[in-house]
Amino acid sequence: MTSKLPRGLIGWAIAASVGTCMALALQLWIWIVLALRPVSHGSGDYLGYQYAALVLGILPSLIALTVAIRFVVRRGRCRSSVWVLVADIVCLSLVGVLIVPPALTVFRFAPTDDAVFHERVRLGYFADGDPGSDFRPDDAQYALQKRVDAIAHDLGFEDDDIPYDNVPGGATQRARPGTSPAGNPCTTYLESFTLPSSVDRGRAQAEVSTMWAKQSAAGEGDFVEGQRALVLALNAVGSIKYTPENRTFVTRTECLIDEPARPMGQ
């Protein structure tokens, strides 16, 4: 049996094919974004595209399939209508296999991604509101160690005697998992550095107290000078504690919010 295909059926068949191709391209782009970005920026840069991929993949294919079935039922089968029907089924199947499952995974991940991002913003992780400036645990720990390095230099240490000068990201030895105020997983990093006994205890204490008092006056942090320990708390990074009795510095980051495990990549 032969029958001329209506323009509407042909148009929806083309729309289904184009929509499926666009949906697959969008889904691939979303996966690349999640796999390659170094720092969580929330779901704002991909969630809308995920909805678009679902709409472009499902709606035209479903309408095209419905129109094709109605045409076959009312006017009988012909070779052209069968090919259109098969093409619509293939498009909808591709969407069901390659778009819907990844989309469900992305939708489950998005709330966690947003929770991490918004708490980082609230706690001041981003300098000047720029997500690209997000510091990582190693960066924060290294920033604390550089403060210790500066004091060691002033006490006459050579670069070779200071273990952290040229080792960014390698200074953390102890990690303590925890939970942030908003309930996100976070980690506190600690490291200690002890001045040798050849360093005069009184001179070292005076040097630490003077430097940290100046930094506190400059608004770089809060300095607390107690009887047994000196503490400099730095904004959005952590704190440094110096115990004059045993000449030991202990750097402690804040509870840094961990990067959420992404559906693809890390």
Side-chain angles (χ1 to χ4, degrees), residues 29-202:
W29 180 82
I30 293 167
W31 234 234
I32 291 174
V33 167
L34 289 174
L36 296 183
R37 68 181 188 178
V39 175
S40 175
H41 295 165
S43 66
D45 56 354
Y46 62 82
L47 196 56
Y49 292 99
Q50 185 63 77
Y51 284 114
L54 283 174
V55 172
L56 287 171
I58 294 175
L59 190 60
S61 297
L62 192 58
I63 294 176
L65 183 61
T66 302
V67 172
I69 291 174
R70 291 183 62 183
F71 177 82
V72 170
V73 170
R74 288 184 177 184
R75 303 190 185 182
R77 291 185 300 169
C78 66
R79 181 177 298 178
S80 299
S81 65
V82 170
W83 279 115
V84 170
L85 187 61
V86 170
D88 294 337
I89 293 175
V90 169
C91 289
L92 204 56
S93 298
L94 287 174
V95 173
V97 172
L98 300 178
I99 304 295
V100 174
L104 294 177
T105 300
V106 169
F107 290 147
R108 285 193 294 267
F109 170 70
T112 299
D113 202 8
D114 287 334
V116 167
F117 175 69
H118 291 312
E119 187 174 21
R120 284 174 169 175
V121 171
R122 183 173 61 82
L123 295 177
Y125 273 36
F126 305 125
D128 301 322
D130 176 18
S133 65
D134 182 277
F135 60 78
R136 301 180 184 182
D138 285 343
D139 296 333
Q141 184 67 18
Y142 186 54
L144 296 175
Q145 292 296 346
K146 291 297 290 182
R147 302 276 181 152
V148 175
D149 294 350
I151 293 174
H153 276 298
D154 288 347
L155 290 172
F157 278 65
E158 299 295 333
D159 288 345
D160 293 340
D161 298 324
I162 302 176
Y164 308 110
D165 253 357
N166 297 308
V167 194
T172 58
Q173 288 186 352
R174 289 179 288 171
R176 296 180 180 177
T179 304
S180 70
N184 292 306
C186 65
T187 305
T188 298
Y189 296 87
L190 299 98
E191 182 57 272
S192 61
F193 173 49
T194 302
L195 298 172
S197 57
S198 59
V199 177
D200 181 75
R201 183 182 288 108

Side-chain angles (χ1 to χ4, degrees), residues 147-155 193 195 199-216 223-226 229-232 240-244 247-250:
R147 302 276 181 152
V148 175
D149 294 350
I151 293 174
H153 276 298
D154 288 347
L155 290 172
F193 173 49
L195 298 172
V199 177
D200 181 75
R201 183 182 288 108
R203 180 190 169 208
Q205 181 174 353
E207 184 69 34
V208 173
S209 178
T210 299
M211 179 173 287
W212 286 356
K214 290 180 179 179
Q215 293 173 355
S216 180
F223 173 50
V224 177
E225 185 171 11
L230 312 177
V231 178
L232 177 66
I240 309 172
K241 179 180 179 180
Y242 177 68
T243 307
R247 304 182 182 86
T248 299
F249 292 92
V250 176

